[in-house]
Amino acid sequence: MFDYNLENAAWILSLFCLLYCLVVNRRQYRMAKCIKNNLMNQHMVFILSVICLNITSASSVVGTILTSYASARVALWQFLFHTAYYLFHITMSFLLALYFLDITGASVGKKDNFYILFSIPYLLIVLLILFNPFSKVCFYLDSSYVYHRGRWMLVLYACGMFYLLMCFAVFFRHIRAISRTDRMEVGTMLFLSVLGVLLQAFFPQMKVELFAEALTILGIMVMLEERSGHVDALTGVLNRLALVEFSRRVIESGKQSRLLLVKLINLDQFAKLFAGREIDNLILLVSEWLSTVADGYDLFHYRDRDFAILLPNDRGEAAETLANAILQRFGEDWKTGPVNFRLEAEIWVARIPEDVATLNDLDELLAVRFRDLNRGTRRVEFHEVSAFQRNRHMAQALRDAVAHHKLQVWYQPIWSVEENRTIAAEALLRIDDEEFRGISPEVYIPVAEQSGVIREIGLFVFEAVCRFVRDSGVRKMGLCYINVNLSVYQFLHDDLTERFESIRTQYGIPRETINLEITESASSQTPVVKTGLDTLRITGYHFSLDDFGTGYSNFAQLLRTEYKNVKIDKSLLWDADNNEHTARMLDNMIRVIRSLGCNVVQEGVETPAQLERSVNSGANLIQGYYFSRPLPEKDFLDYLLRADKESSD
Ligand code: C2E
Ligand code: MG
Ligand code: MG
């Protein structure tokens, strides 16, 4: 009575899928009021497909059983089940096409007219099936109640095929909207489905079609629907991975869209006062409120204190309304348990594709921390984040400059007061490229640091200096060492010392000819930097402390660490010109550092008066435009020769 054929297997498979969706993935299937929103929701379309597949395979199995009882008594039921089979089967292929429109982002921005046109073949076939009892063109039961295909049966198949081919077309047209890992699998599943339909259309006795479709649905469920990896563990909303996947589709759709970021800027202050649970509850509260106000748009919790709402096909109106609602809410307290929190948030609205045109842009945007802790809740205009855009552009330009060998090293002399001659030089990076003309390393070095390009740049400068020391004969001209600036970011790569050593030995120059300059900063207190510094020091390198008197540098640091030279920041010297207090402080500072046994290099000496002040205070090394600006290799050698000649004359 019950054949264990492929159709039964299809039913069992589809039942499994349905149960799995309803029990495990149930959060994803929330019906929206508007029909179009449901059609544009991949998960809703998927669950509807699974339901259709269940009805289709159930009808098929029951229909087959009834066939063995073919008689007048069951004829009506036979007819009904066959009708249900075709009706829901064609609905499935229609839904599958919609599903592909959704997962490729092709549905973003589609108008109602599109959906009407898209549904016409489907609706015509539905009418054909509904009128089949009268027309008998799809199928009929003969006088012995045996089932036969009608003349128009192939039209049904053609329609099913039309929607399947549509899936193919959408899939290949928007393939970039699907992540690389999913492409192969999704393509295979689709192919399997088409194969099933073709086989059954021409060899009806094979009955493989439903099984192939059930396999497709199972495959899609496992690959695209089972997205526990897309859910944030704390809030249950979507996470960063999902944000990247969804943004990929929206970007690929080419439609104007918006990405709204909500950054909780003062949460850390509360985190210091309250236990973790209180803060988690607070984040949950914000997340729940945001998902209500986002009203149908996807909410993402992409980093500990940061949320995002993706608004596909929005030219700014919806984002504006949403941003205002959020701003207003953050003007009020958030209450968890007995505590009232006044949270502050920055709201950013980024335009797709103007501000975010690629996933790379998205990555960089998400990496930006909030801009200003002190300004409280506010809407951050994107042009305020223009530094971010400029940096993004600059990081790429830096990579290009490295790749196209446009980096150069220039040298600025360092003059010894005691010896009355140039005894050292500082190596300074220059980029021979139109794009960087007139831009100071002070601007692009931080970008190089944040984007990681500093690693290549640092190694390039180090190697260029080693080559210069070996080839130019500067040591014979009395130059004792060359200062090379070292960024603390370079310590993040733990092979720094080995790389330096291998380059240095390759050029066969002694370590004393290189002096490493490092600027003290908050990050230089971290263990990784400390270890890096110690390793280089133990290996035999000497260090100068750069830009002393600014930022994080302090005397305690000087006492703790061995610096051969301390370079006083030029801003102090320049300020001393007009400020008696600074002048006195500078004077005393230099004395204290000298008394600790360090050399003092005064940077930024431009005038005879500045030179005199520095020398009188006890600075024993001088660097500045008074002697020379940074010079290209050849000009620097000329400078040394000239100075040598002048002193011997
Ligand atoms: P820094 O290490 O403090 O270098 C000294 C800066 O002061 C240089 O600017 C130099 O041209 C400038 N300077 C020296 N004397 C005078 C003067 O009398 N008047 C004026 N107005 N400026 C003077 P530059 O070359 O623009 O470099 C700026 C900063 O960029 C450097 O400051 C250093 O922090 C960074 N930098 C430059 N090259 C490299 C490099 O190869 N690696 C790393 N990590 N940083 C570098
Ligand atoms: Mg320096
Ligand atoms: Mg400096």
Short mmCIF file of all heavy atoms in Angstrom, two decimals, residues 426-428 483-486 517-519 546-547 567 603 623, ligand 2:
data_model
loop_
_atom_site.label_atom_id
_atom_site.label_comp_id
_atom_site.label_asym_id
_atom_site.label_seq_id
_atom_site.Cartn_x
_atom_site.Cartn_y
_atom_site.Cartn_z
N GLU A 426 69.31 62.66 10.24
CA GLU A 426 68.06 61.92 10.44
C GLU A 426 67.52 61.53 9.07
O GLU A 426 67.46 62.36 8.15
CB GLU A 426 67.01 62.76 11.18
CG GLU A 426 65.69 62.00 11.30
CD GLU A 426 64.68 62.64 12.23
OE1 GLU A 426 64.91 63.80 12.67
OE2 GLU A 426 63.65 61.99 12.50
N ALA A 427 67.17 60.26 8.93
CA ALA A 427 66.58 59.79 7.66
C ALA A 427 65.09 60.09 7.70
O ALA A 427 64.41 59.71 8.65
CB ALA A 427 66.81 58.29 7.54
N LEU A 428 64.60 60.78 6.68
CA LEU A 428 63.18 61.15 6.66
C LEU A 428 62.54 60.68 5.35
O LEU A 428 63.13 60.83 4.27
CB LEU A 428 63.02 62.66 6.83
CG LEU A 428 63.43 63.16 8.23
CD1 LEU A 428 63.74 64.64 8.20
CD2 LEU A 428 62.34 62.86 9.26
N ASN A 483 70.00 58.52 12.09
CA ASN A 483 68.79 58.24 12.87
C ASN A 483 67.68 57.74 11.96
O ASN A 483 67.40 58.34 10.92
CB ASN A 483 68.28 59.52 13.54
CG ASN A 483 69.13 59.89 14.74
OD1 ASN A 483 70.14 59.24 15.02
ND2 ASN A 483 68.73 60.93 15.43
N VAL A 484 67.05 56.64 12.36
CA VAL A 484 65.94 56.08 11.59
C VAL A 484 64.70 56.10 12.48
O VAL A 484 64.74 55.59 13.60
CB VAL A 484 66.25 54.63 11.15
CG1 VAL A 484 65.04 54.00 10.47
CG2 VAL A 484 67.46 54.60 10.24
N ASN A 485 63.64 56.72 11.99
CA ASN A 485 62.41 56.78 12.80
C ASN A 485 61.74 55.41 12.82
O ASN A 485 61.63 54.74 11.81
CB ASN A 485 61.42 57.79 12.20
CG ASN A 485 61.89 59.21 12.43
OD1 ASN A 485 61.85 59.70 13.54
ND2 ASN A 485 62.39 59.83 11.36
N LEU A 486 61.29 55.05 14.01
CA LEU A 486 60.66 53.74 14.17
C LEU A 486 59.27 53.98 14.75
O LEU A 486 59.12 54.72 15.72
CB LEU A 486 61.52 52.93 15.15
CG LEU A 486 61.27 51.45 15.26
CD1 LEU A 486 61.49 50.79 13.92
CD2 LEU A 486 62.24 50.85 16.29
N GLU A 517 64.96 56.12 16.30
CA GLU A 517 64.19 57.17 16.99
C GLU A 517 62.80 56.67 17.26
O GLU A 517 62.13 56.14 16.36
CB GLU A 517 64.08 58.41 16.10
CG GLU A 517 65.32 59.23 16.08
CD GLU A 517 65.08 60.59 15.43
OE1 GLU A 517 63.91 61.02 15.28
OE2 GLU A 517 66.08 61.22 15.08
N ILE A 518 62.36 56.85 18.48
CA ILE A 518 61.00 56.40 18.78
C ILE A 518 60.26 57.50 19.54
O ILE A 518 60.85 58.17 20.38
CB ILE A 518 61.05 55.07 19.55
CG1 ILE A 518 59.66 54.62 19.94
CG2 ILE A 518 61.93 55.11 20.77
CD1 ILE A 518 59.58 53.13 20.05
N THR A 519 59.01 57.70 19.18
CA THR A 519 58.20 58.71 19.86
C THR A 519 57.41 58.01 20.95
O THR A 519 56.78 56.99 20.68
CB THR A 519 57.21 59.37 18.87
OG1 THR A 519 57.95 59.80 17.76
CG2 THR A 519 56.49 60.52 19.50
N ASP A 546 62.22 60.61 20.63
CA ASP A 546 61.86 61.71 19.72
C ASP A 546 60.75 62.57 20.34
O ASP A 546 59.99 62.11 21.17
CB ASP A 546 61.36 61.09 18.40
CG ASP A 546 61.55 62.04 17.23
OD1 ASP A 546 61.95 63.19 17.46
OD2 ASP A 546 61.28 61.62 16.08
N ASP A 547 60.69 63.80 19.89
CA ASP A 547 59.59 64.71 20.24
C ASP A 547 59.36 64.81 21.75
O ASP A 547 58.21 64.83 22.21
CB ASP A 547 58.29 64.28 19.55
CG ASP A 547 58.45 64.21 18.04
OD1 ASP A 547 59.37 64.89 17.54
OD2 ASP A 547 57.69 63.50 17.38
N LYS A 567 65.44 63.91 21.98
CA LYS A 567 65.23 65.00 21.02
C LYS A 567 64.08 65.87 21.51
O LYS A 567 62.97 65.39 21.71
CB LYS A 567 64.89 64.42 19.63
CG LYS A 567 66.00 63.54 19.09
CD LYS A 567 65.72 63.10 17.67
CE LYS A 567 66.00 64.22 16.69
NZ LYS A 567 65.85 63.75 15.29
N GLU A 603 65.56 69.97 18.10
CA GLU A 603 65.00 69.96 16.74
C GLU A 603 64.46 71.34 16.40
O GLU A 603 64.12 72.11 17.30
CB GLU A 603 63.77 69.04 16.69
CG GLU A 603 64.02 67.58 16.67
CD GLU A 603 62.69 66.84 16.52
OE1 GLU A 603 61.62 67.41 16.81
OE2 GLU A 603 62.75 65.69 16.10
N GLN A 623 69.51 70.16 15.29
CA GLN A 623 68.95 69.78 13.99
C GLN A 623 67.95 70.86 13.59
O GLN A 623 67.12 71.25 14.41
CB GLN A 623 68.24 68.42 14.13
CG GLN A 623 67.59 67.92 12.85
CD GLN A 623 66.92 66.57 13.05
OE1 GLN A 623 67.08 65.92 14.09
NE2 GLN A 623 66.16 66.14 12.06
MG MG B 2 62.40 61.74 14.22
#
